[in-house]
Amino acid sequence: MFAVAYFIIGMTVLSVCAIATNGALDAGGAYYMISRALGPEFGGSIGIMFFLANVCGSALYVLGLVEAVVDSFGVPPGQKVGTGVHVLPQSYWYELLYGTILLALCLVVCLVGASIYAKATFLIFLIVAGVLGTILISFFATRPIGVPIRLPHFNGSEIENGSFTGFSLATLRDNLGGGYGVDYTTGQMMSFSSVFAVMFNGCTGIMAGSNMSGDLKRPSYSIPRGTISAVLFTYLVYNLLAFFMCATCNRTLLQKDYGFLRDISIFPPLVTVGIYAATLSAAMSNLIGASRILYALARDDLFGRALALAKKTSASGNPIMAVILSWLVVQLVLFSGKLNTIAGVVTTFFLLVYATVNLACLALEWASAPNFRPTFRYFTWHTCLLGIAGCCVMMFLISPVSASASLGFLLLLLLALHYLSPSSTWGYISQALIFHQVRKYLLMLDVRKDHVKFWRPQMLLMVQNPRGSARLIDFVNDLKKSGLYVLGHVELQDLDALPSDPLQAQQDSWLGLVDKLNVKAFVSLTLAPSVRHGVRQLLFTSGLGGMRPNTLVLGFYDDAAPQDGLAQHPAFTSAREEVPLGFPPVRAPAAPKLLSAREYVGIVADALKMLRNVLLARHLESLDKAWELRRAASSPPSIHVWPVNLLRPDSARYADTCSLFLLQMACVLNMTRAWRRAHLRLFLCVEAGAMPHAQEDKLRQLLKDLRIQAQIQLVPWDAVVSLHWQAQRAPPGGPALAEEESTVNFPANATQVSDEYVCAANKLILEQGPAPAVRFLYLPRPPADTSLYPLYLHHLDLLTRDLGPTVLVHGVSAVTSTQL
């Protein structure tokens, strides 16, 4: 038992010493170490558990002292009060009274302060050391004697004889076996685990020094030396005493007489004084430890007003209210009245705390943070792991129910603190561990092993001002399908002309926006002389390793005045005072734009050259997703998909890379939880005499192969296409010349698209009712001739005018797979 207990304690002490020598320590001991290493959630929850462990431990030692006092001075059953030294009545209420008096004595010492406690414990240490010396001498000096043992009986009492044999090999051999008996307090048969639960409490005092870390002059120096010395000294003394007892006292004496050391001592009263002093010291140690933990918890404000009273201190800095509150809780525990019952609970709490101390040290070691440089180096992650394993195994061996209940209580505290406690500036080990693991897995993410089966959209959404883009940010969050999502922003300034980087001050506002909108996005800000240069920078540099944006999302370039949608967003309706977030107001209608039409189309062309897919979102701020979800139960919304290049009717295809990418994006949106009830409607534009049903069957088979569920709707568009061919047949120098300023000359051929044709295509789309929640349209490539960029944008404007929420899509990468 001692080997198991001290193995657990030894591993924990190594972890305590490592953490204690890695920086300045303050009040709270193990709580302070855990909270500053694992963060407020773990620290606060374990702090409460450690407080309860010390409180129950103090009650345990007080009850042990009461038991010793009653054993010496209590009136035996069947005798009258006042015979000899046996003057104290015995009953539950009398023993509770004795415990209350002894606890009040501990309270007085702790209220005076840590200095008087230190002097008192040093005096007790000298007394206990002297008593131990006399006991060890007594094993050699006392002659073999018989010891009568008075045992309680239903008729009164009976006498049984134990014997002190002196050092005897036969006695040693007889005592080596198990021989567990019945617990006199509970009537239950004892076992290795139940006896270990009681015995382990005699080993937990080694944390007393670290509990008083706030009262030590040099805690980083004193805690390792004092704690390791205590472990070695107590382990030696315990084993020496156990061996001497085993070799000199028979089993009857050991099991039936709890005061047998007094019976065999050369000076019996001194043993009594030693037992009283040791238990009183342990009770005080746990009481003052509990008060210091409670004070540290209150000072950290993890539980708000609930512990506000515990912050109050005396003029000398002694947390008197924390001491009084701890005393009250110990007093409540005393009502249980059964030492061995409390012992199991206390041991479970202590083992849980020790496991967490080891976990804190293990996390610091595994995180490999450069600032984790403890001067105490006699530990490794192996010792931490062994300590955790030992604590967990013994917890469940002692009492599976208590262990499970303690873990459940710890989990509840963790969750409560996670959601209710204010954020701290201590640093979170979870962040260091996440960084460590993410770096490792990013290195393993090999872009050469990418496969189309596992493709997912990785979005870079360019945002000028979030006030005008709140719903677009939310929509793209639905569209990313667990992929990378980056909010990009370009600040038009020159760093050479600035005293410092202006983006650092903006970073917190953007991160606060991400938290408030509850989107899973990163933020990437850059300085550039123009928006186009800034977008290029972000396309080149955003992401890391195999996680880089493969799709650029832009708002549409038109003359519509931006609206401040942030104040109306559901995330801000309950906290309007937080709406500003440091962002400027939206651009006034008369104010100049930050980029020209030519530059905007140039950004689209740049992205396609860099093999990035492009999405242009128009009227997305008018998409009320909350309203669409509310009406989904009675009238499911629809998503309209037009996978044909409406600006190239002479080369319309449904199975090119761009059309398949468009289908994939519509399907991805439909797969998200918010849009799962929406219906996909796919529009197949057909001409007379082109075998429409054959085209429909072919498209239906394609959808089946791609596992996309969509309703196909045939749309005759002969009247629209005829306008295109009329423009093509116009003679040179005729009406076409008059329309030269409103046509686009595509690089692939001499196709010309007139405004009349584009307006007819727009009308064709509008006629396909009822109005959908969102439309997906094919986005043609920009022309090679940059002088035609404004005209290209003009035609996109005509095509999408009054369509409501619309996404123009151009894909350059294969994203669909029919393979398993």
Side-chain angles (χ1 to χ4, degrees):
M1 286 184 189
F2 283 126
V4 172
Y6 275 86
F7 172 78
I8 292 170
I9 289 168
M11 298 300 103
T12 306
V13 163
L14 296 180
S15 298
V16 167
C17 294
I19 300 173
T21 59
N22 190 52
L25 274 180
D26 206 343
Y31 156 71
Y32 187 87
M33 298 176 195
I34 294 167
S35 62
R36 269 47 178 187
L38 298 183
E41 294 94 344
F42 249 109
S45 50
I46 285 296
I48 290 293
M49 302 294 281
F50 201 22
F51 168 74
L52 292 175
N54 277 275
V55 160
C56 294
S58 183
L60 174 82
Y61 293 123
V62 169
L63 288 173
L65 181 53
V66 168
E67 201 171 274
V69 170
V70 168
D71 187 58
S72 300
F73 303 106
V75 178
Q79 291 189 15
K80 295 181 179 180
V81 177
T83 56
V85 294
H86 300 285
V87 294
L88 297 178
Q90 292 188 52
S91 73
Y92 168 79
W93 293 107
Y94 273 115
E95 289 177 11
L96 178 62
L97 175 64
Y98 306 149
T100 302
I101 294 169
L102 294 170
L103 183 60
L105 177 63
C106 297
L107 172 66
V108 171
V109 174
C110 294
L111 280 176
V112 173
S115 58
I116 189 69
Y117 164 75
K119 291 172 184 175
T121 49
F122 183 69
L123 177 63
I124 289 171
F125 169 74
L126 294 178
I127 293 171
V128 171
V131 172
L132 277 173
T134 60
I135 288 173
L136 291 175
I137 292 170
S138 298
F139 283 117
F140 294 93
T142 305
R143 294 179 179 179
I145 54 171
V147 181
I149 306 167
R150 188 183 298 274
L151 299 175
H153 195 263
F154 63 91
N155 285 328
S157 64
E158 62 179 6
I159 303 296
E160 193 169 338
N161 289 319
S163 61
F164 174 79
T165 63
F167 286 96
S168 166
L169 191 60
T171 305
L172 178 65
R173 194 181 298 113
D174 291 341
N175 285 332
L176 285 180
Y180 294 102
V182 176
D183 178 17
Y184 70 101
T185 61
T186 61
Q188 295 179 352
M189 191 67 183
M190 301 301 281
S191 63
F192 179 92
S193 58
S194 57
V195 174
F196 180 87
V198 179
M199 185 279 301
F200 188 78
N201 290 280
C203 312
T204 56
I206 52 97
M207 293 291 275
S210 61
N211 287 346
M212 294 186 63
S213 55
D215 300 302
L216 300 174
K217 289 182 179 178
R218 291 191 296 166
S220 296
Y221 175 86
S222 303
I223 287 175
R225 287 162 176 78
T227 308
I228 291 174
S229 301
V231 169
L232 295 176
F233 179 75
T234 54
Y235 184 65
L236 176 65
V237 169
Y238 280 150
N239 280 283
L240 203 59
L241 279 174
F243 175 75
F244 282 2
M245 291 174 188
C246 185
T248 59
C249 304
N250 73 348
R251 189 180 293 274
T252 303
L253 184 63
L254 292 175
Q255 278 192 330
K256 303 294 175 67
D257 185 4
Y258 294 119
F260 71 91
L261 285 177
R262 186 174 57 246
D263 298 328
I264 66 173
S265 175
I266 55 175
F267 188 57
L270 197 58
V271 175
T272 303
V273 171
I275 292 172
Y276 294 173
T279 47
L280 193 64
S281 169
M284 280 195 296
S285 171
N286 279 265
L287 180 60
I288 201 166
S291 68
R292 292 317 189 257
I293 295 164
L294 187 64
Y295 172 64
L297 282 165
R299 200 174 58 176
D300 286 338
D301 278 327
L302 294 183
F303 294 89
R305 294 181 181 178
L307 297 180
L309 192 63
K311 291 182 186 179
K312 296 183 180 180
T313 61
S314 64
S316 60
N318 185 30
I320 53 173
M321 290 309 300
V323 172
I324 292 171
L325 290 172
S326 302
W327 166 75
L328 283 172
V329 181
V330 175
Q331 183 64 56
L332 290 174
V333 177
L334 285 180
F335 280 96
S336 67
K338 292 186 178 181
L339 184 148
N340 289 0
T341 305
I342 301 174
V345 176
V346 176
T347 298
T348 301
F349 280 166
F350 271 114
L351 286 171
L352 191 58
V353 173
Y354 291 173
T356 316
V357 170
N358 284 302
L359 178 64
C361 189
L362 178 68
L364 289 168
E365 179 71 7
W366 274 356
S368 302
N371 283 321
F372 184 58
R373 298 189 297 270
T375 54
F376 182 87
R377 296 301 306 165
Y378 301 103
F379 77 100
T380 67
W381 65 267
H382 303 88
T383 60
C384 302
L385 211 55
L386 286 170
I388 294 170
C391 290
C392 293
V393 168
M394 288 313 302
M395 268 173 57
F396 283 94
L397 279 179
I398 290 168
S399 173
V401 175
S402 296
S404 302
S406 299
L407 288 172
F409 181 54
L410 177 66
L411 186 61
L412 283 175
L413 286 171
L414 269 171
L415 292 172
L417 285 171
H418 179 73
Y419 289 108
L420 301 177
S421 70
S423 59
S424 71
T425 57
W426 307 335
Y428 293 79
I429 191 65
S430 58
Q431 296 298 303
L433 289 170
I434 290 168
F435 177 89
H436 188 267
Q437 293 302 108
V438 166
R439 181 192 64 85
K440 183 170 74 174
Y441 287 120
L442 272 174
L443 290 170
M444 295 168 63
L445 193 60
D446 192 344
V447 293
R448 295 168 295 183
K449 297 179 182 178
D450 280 349
H451 194 279
V452 67
K453 287 191 297 185
F454 307 113
W455 179 91
R456 64 181 72 238
Q458 307 205 73
M459 304 292 199
L460 170 62
L461 170 62
M462 297 306 304
V463 180
Q464 179 191 342
N465 188 339
R467 289 184 178 277
S469 310
R471 286 182 174 171
L472 176 58
I473 293 170
D474 196 31
F475 178 77
V476 177
N477 186 59
D478 289 337
L479 206 57
K480 72 180 188 306
K481 186 57 180 173
S482 303
L484 178 68
Y485 183 17
V486 180
L487 296 181
H489 173 71
V490 179
E491 192 75 19
L492 298 182
Q493 295 191 57
D494 183 5
L495 190 59
D496 290 337
L498 297 169
S500 62
D501 181 9
L503 299 178
Q504 296 298 324
Q506 297 183 27
Q507 190 78 15
D508 285 346
S509 295
W510 283 88
L511 292 175
L513 175 79
V514 167
D515 291 339
K516 202 67 183 172
L517 294 181
N518 195 27
V519 294
K520 296 176 182 177
F522 298 95
V523 173
S524 189
L525 313 179
T526 188
L527 284 177
S530 70
V531 175
R532 187 174 181 182
H533 279 88
V535 176
R536 281 181 186 169
Q537 288 176 23
L538 293 175
L539 284 171
F540 276 125
T541 60
S542 291
L544 198 62
M547 293 188 68
R548 292 186 179 276
N550 56 28
T551 304
L552 174 68
V553 186
L554 302 171
F556 197 77
Y557 189 95
D558 55 22
D559 295 323
Q563 302 295 319
D564 189 347
L566 212 53
Q568 284 74 42
H569 194 278
F572 294 95
T573 52
S574 59
R576 290 187 179 276
E577 70 279 3
E578 297 183 28
V579 169
L581 284 173
F583 298 116
V586 294
R587 177 179 58 84
K593 296 182 179 181
L594 294 179
L595 75 166
S596 65
R598 189 184 299 271
E599 189 179 7
Y600 176 83
V601 180
I603 292 172
V604 176
D606 290 343
L608 295 178
K609 289 176 186 176
M610 297 165 70
L611 298 181
R612 302 297 202 277
N613 310 298
V614 176
L615 272 61
L616 304 183
R618 188 173 194 186
H619 302 309
L620 260 296
E621 287 306 302
S622 66
L623 175 61
D624 190 346
K625 190 172 80 170
W627 181 79
E628 295 288 353
L629 292 176
R630 282 197 300 271
R631 76 180 184 118
S634 57
S635 175
S638 60
I639 300 170
H640 286 191
V641 183
W642 295 79
V644 65
N645 187 352
L646 294 172
L647 297 187
R648 291 283 299 279
D650 56 330
S651 61
R653 295 174 58 200
Y654 287 94
D656 66 355
T657 300
C658 186
S659 296
L660 292 176
F661 181 81
L662 190 150
L663 274 173
Q664 180 81 325
M665 295 312 297
C667 181
V668 164
L669 181 66
N670 194 207
M671 290 169 70
T672 58
R673 182 179 298 175
W675 293 92
R676 199 163 289 166
R677 292 188 178 182
H679 294 160
L680 279 181
R681 293 182 66 192
L682 194 60
F683 293 92
L684 177 62
C685 296
V686 295
E687 297 180 54
M691 294 188 295
H693 294 293
Q695 293 184 39
E696 182 183 5
D697 291 342
K698 186 176 179 182
L699 183 58
R700 197 178 301 280
Q701 184 60 42
L702 175 65
L703 293 176
K704 184 179 179 182
D705 291 342
L706 297 176
R707 289 90 61 207
I708 297 175
Q709 295 183 354
Q711 174 191 350
I712 299 175
Q713 184 169 332
L714 300 180
V715 181
W717 72 328
D718 299 80
V720 178
V721 174
S722 65
L723 294 173
H724 165 68
W725 292 119
Q726 285 175 17
Q728 289 293 296
R729 289 193 292 269
L737 280 181
E739 296 184 1
E740 185 175 356
E741 293 302 318
S742 62
T743 60
V744 174
N745 186 9
F746 287 92
N749 54 26
T751 303
Q752 293 178 328
V753 181
S754 65
D755 285 3
E756 185 181 10
Y757 163 77
V758 178
C759 289
N762 172 263
K763 184 180 178 183
L764 179 73
I765 296 170
L766 280 171
E767 288 172 350
Q768 311 309 314
V774 65
R775 289 182 172 93
F776 284 86
L777 303 184
Y778 190 115
L779 173 67
R781 293 185 74 95
D785 186 353
T786 58
S787 65
L788 297 175
Y789 280 1
L791 194 54
Y792 167 82
L793 187 58
H794 170 66
H795 283 159
L796 292 182
D797 177 44
L798 291 179
L799 182 65
T800 58
R801 187 167 292 174
D802 300 324
L803 290 186
T806 303
V807 182
L808 291 158
V809 181
H810 190 96
V812 295
S813 52
V815 295
T816 55
S817 173
T818 59
Q819 299 177 0
L820 184 62

